[in-house]
Amino acid sequence: MSRLLPVNGECVRVYNDEFNLKQKYNALTMKMNEDRSEIVMDQKLENATWQQFVDCLPEGEPRYAFYSFKYTLPEGGDRDKVIMVSWVHDNTGVKDKMVFASSKNGLKSALPFNKNDFQANNAGDLNYDDILKEVSQGGTN
């Protein structure tokens, strides 16, 4: 049976203070800890390009990833929207997939986040132009 993993306090603090408020980082990744008992901070990236963000997602290990997606509208005007990527690579084990999926809503309720949520199973699912199209049209859910 799947279980809901608690979110480590560092994840909440870094997301709220250093990612959202101070914008010290433009990308974060979070993962299950070694004994699969909680969600912990993994990486904090400063000034990461979209490709660097995608490249930091490991094969075979799930991650919750957040990125400050900046773009310019065709008619002008800069935008910056936070997106969440639920990274569950095709090579991730079944048990990890189940625990990860069941913990997603708990993570989303612990963080002030509610749209622009993407599921990715491989790097091809994170094509910049496809994500831009979704984000610029108001998000995916």
Side-chain angles (χ1 to χ4, degrees), residues 13 35-36 48 51 69-70 75 98 115 125 129 131:
R13 182 189 62 75
D35 64 359
R36 302 295 192 251
Q51 192 57 54
F69 197 92
K70 294 180 177 54
E75 61 277 1
M98 292 174 63
K115 24 189 308 190
D125 293 338
D129 292 331
I131 301 295

Side-chain angles (χ1 to χ4, degrees), residues 109-124:
S109 67
L111 304 175
F113 181 84
N114 61 8
K115 24 189 308 190
N116 298 312
D117 182 0
F118 297 88
Q119 172 68 41
N121 299 340
N122 59 61

Side-chain angles (χ1 to χ4, degrees), residues 28-133:
L28 302 174
T29 63
M30 300 173 192
K31 65 179 184 174
M32 294 184 284
N33 65 352
E34 291 289 323
D35 64 359
R36 302 295 192 251
S37 62
E38 70 178 334
I39 297 168
V40 297
M41 185 58 55
D42 179 39
Q43 295 182 71
K44 300 177 265 190
L45 306 168
E46 293 181 50
N47 303 313
T49 65
W50 178 252
Q51 192 57 54
Q52 289 168 329
F53 171 71
V54 172
D55 289 346
C56 84
L57 300 171
E59 208 174 293
E61 295 180 41
R63 293 290 187 274
Y64 299 111
F66 298 89
Y67 187 76
S68 180
F69 197 92
K70 294 180 177 54
Y71 62 97
T72 302
L73 296 171
E75 61 277 1
D78 293 335
R79 298 289 185 266
D80 183 358
K81 293 188 180 179
V82 173
I83 66 166
M84 176 182 183
V85 174
S86 297
W87 174 258
V88 185
H89 193 272
D90 293 328
N91 295 335
T92 301
V94 173
K95 184 176 180 180
D96 283 349
K97 285 180 181 180
M98 292 174 63
V99 172
F100 203 73
S102 69
S103 297
K104 180 179 174 179
N105 285 337
L107 177 67
K108 287 175 76 172
S109 67
L111 304 175
F113 181 84
N114 61 8
K115 24 189 308 190
N116 298 312
D117 182 0
F118 297 88
Q119 172 68 41
N121 299 340
N122 59 61
D125 293 338
L126 295 174
N127 175 279
Y128 178 86
D129 292 331
D130 294 341
I131 301 295
L132 174 61
K133 182 178 177 183

